[in-house]
Amino acid sequence: MVEPGDVGAALDGLVGSGHLVGYVAGVRDDGRSRIFAGGARSVGGPALAPDSVFPLSSNTKPVGGVLAMRLIELGVLELEDPVAGYLPELAEPRVLARPGGPLEETVPAEGPVTLRHLLSMTAGFGWAGEGSPLAHAMSERQVAPGPYAPPMPPDEYLRLLGALPLADHPGRGWYYHTCSDVLGVLLARATGTSVAELLAEHVTGPLGLRDLGFSAESDRIPTGYGVGPGGGLRELDTAGRFGRAPEFESLACGLVSTVADYLAFLDVLIDGRAVLGAEYAQEMATDHLTAGQRATAEGFIGPGCGYGFQVEVRPDGAVGWAGGLGTIGYVDRRTGRSAAVFTTQSYDVPGTADALESVWSLLA
């Protein structure tokens, strides 16, 4: 078994070579977590603390999946229900007549968007490819997939998104990201409460997690970095964005967490723990994609992998996801061991991918 110290040495090597500013990583076995950190909280700054709070970006999605499964377990929602009962903006969706075609050429959707479609990313909206009219329209309206929550209230977001055609018929293809934000709006409307309140009641409260939420004290959030002009580092306003309560509580990219809290959360995907019945955890961690859907997901999920409800399902038994701002967390459901690596730089910065790949050694 690979020990955390071995992985820590490799991560420290990335720090020493200038390819990584800072990281926090950890493993969890039998309810016990081991956390280690290296590097700095900013370039030239003090050491990065093990209890630093990171923006999760897309690591938020598994949390949204668990929350939705809990509401299904409680009977608030049904998996096959059309979402239009709570989201009338999606009641009569139109679909592009041909992929990448003009927005004016549409046909009626072959069927309604359901909760199952949202959970499996097969509703027909999401990452629409670079340069297409639909992708341009989503960006122009600020409802395109990205690393940050939509800059508007949920009702306005859904109004703008619902006015656009779907990229494909519900259930036909796999389109990343947007389903998770629509899921959050659905859960809030179905319960008459906020996503933050639902999360506290059904997930973080039962698990005793204090640092997994929609914001944190800004002095606990390290400086994030992306690629700047000339390939150098560009400072991101992570503390400004995640140091206050958001206008849109995004289940696609809006949460923050420590490594310790995220490792404890991953326990839910093993057997449900204090949050879900075991059968609901199993359903979430089961590949639900058809061969056709899996083909459209190529490049997002790994070779030979599938997708459950807001989690990647790997053939070796591991489930989880990674985030574009430089975080990753998976749990091996066969052994119960979970691992997470959180960095201070986005995935496109050279060195970040190498750091995130170390999670597989921690799971071994």
Side-chain angles (χ1 to χ4, degrees), residues 82-85 87-97 103-114 117-118 122-126 134 158-171 182:
V83 301
L87 309 178
E89 298 92 336
L90 304 178
E92 297 180 2
R94 305 285 298 183
V95 181
L96 291 176
L103 301 182
E104 298 77 20
E105 296 180 10
T106 65
V107 296
E110 293 174 350
V113 175
T114 68
H117 293 142
L118 296 183
T122 59
F125 40 61
L134 180 56
L158 205 63
R159 183 187 70 80
L160 292 171
L161 181 70
L164 294 172
L166 304 181
D168 206 345
H169 293 277
V182 175

Side-chain angles (χ1 to χ4, degrees), residues 13-364:
L14 290 172
V15 172
S17 66
H19 289 96
L20 188 62
V21 176
Y23 73 88
V24 179
V27 295
R28 183 173 174 87
D29 292 289
D30 299 322
R32 175 176 172 265
S33 297
R34 289 172 284 173
I35 312 295
F36 52 103
R41 60 173 287 126
S42 62
V43 173
L48 188 61
D51 67 346
S52 295
V53 179
F54 291 76
L56 293 182
S57 190
S58 288
N59 277 114
T60 307
K61 293 175 172 72
V63 181
V66 165
L67 182 57
M69 293 304 288
R70 177 57 179 157
L71 294 182
I72 291 171
E73 183 178 14
L74 292 173
V76 176
L77 295 165
E78 295 288 340
L79 199 56
E80 309 301 340
D81 278 354
V83 301
Y86 295 107
L87 309 178
E89 298 92 336
L90 304 178
E92 297 180 2
R94 305 285 298 183
V95 181
L96 291 176
R98 54 187 175 86
L103 301 182
E104 298 77 20
E105 296 180 10
T106 65
V107 296
E110 293 174 350
V113 175
T114 68
L115 177 53
R116 177 183 289 277
H117 293 142
L118 296 183
L119 287 171
S120 59
M121 298 278 185
T122 59
F125 40 61
W127 199 279
E130 299 292 340
S132 70
L134 180 56
H136 177 74
M138 292 180 74
S139 295
E140 188 177 60
R141 290 161 175 76
Q142 300 186 78
V143 297
Y148 305 117
M152 62 194 73
D155 290 351
E156 176 70 0
Y157 169 82
L158 205 63
R159 183 187 70 80
L160 292 171
L161 181 70
L164 294 172
L166 304 181
D168 206 345
H169 293 277
R172 185 176 291 182
W174 192 90
Y175 294 86
Y176 186 55
H177 187 88
T178 304
C179 284
S180 303
D181 273 335
V182 175
L183 176 66
V185 181
L186 172 66
L187 301 185
R189 288 188 183 177
T191 58
T193 189
S194 70
V195 181
E197 291 170 321
L198 291 172
L199 186 69
E201 179 180 356
H202 297 293
V203 182
T204 59
L207 293 173
L209 308 182
R210 297 182 177 181
D211 293 319
L212 199 165
F214 285 103
S215 63
E217 297 87 351
S218 58
D219 60 358
R220 294 187 62 194
I221 304 172
T223 301
Y225 295 94
V227 174
L233 292 179
R234 173 177 60 91
E235 188 172 315
L236 306 175
D237 185 25
T238 46
R241 287 181 179 273
F242 296 95
R244 63 181 186 275
E247 185 173 32
F248 189 109
E249 294 169 344
S250 170
L251 289 176
C253 56
L255 290 169
V256 298
S257 181
T258 58
V259 165
D261 270 13
Y262 201 78
L263 288 173
F265 161 75
L266 289 173
D267 282 349
V268 177
L269 300 180
I270 303 170
D271 56 14
R273 295 298 155 106
V275 175
L276 291 175
E279 66 271 28
Y280 292 92
Q282 175 67 51
E283 181 79 356
M284 183 175 169
T286 298
D287 178 19
H288 293 287
L289 299 188
T290 65
Q293 292 165 350
R294 196 172 295 109
T296 60
E298 186 176 347
F300 284 92
I301 61 175
C305 297
Y307 198 78
F309 290 155
Q310 303 287 294
V311 292
E312 182 183 54
V313 180
R314 297 174 64 87
D316 60 5
V319 297
W321 200 234
L325 292 180
T327 59
I328 190 169
Y330 277 77
V331 60
D332 187 332
R333 299 185 74 246
R334 301 170 305 175
T335 66
R337 170 175 261 211
S338 59
V341 178
F342 289 5
T343 78
T344 59
Q345 54 202 47
S346 61
Y347 193 85
D348 56 352
V349 176
T352 307
D354 291 335
L356 300 188
E357 283 295 309
S358 67
V359 77
W360 309 122
S361 296
L362 289 171
L363 273 184

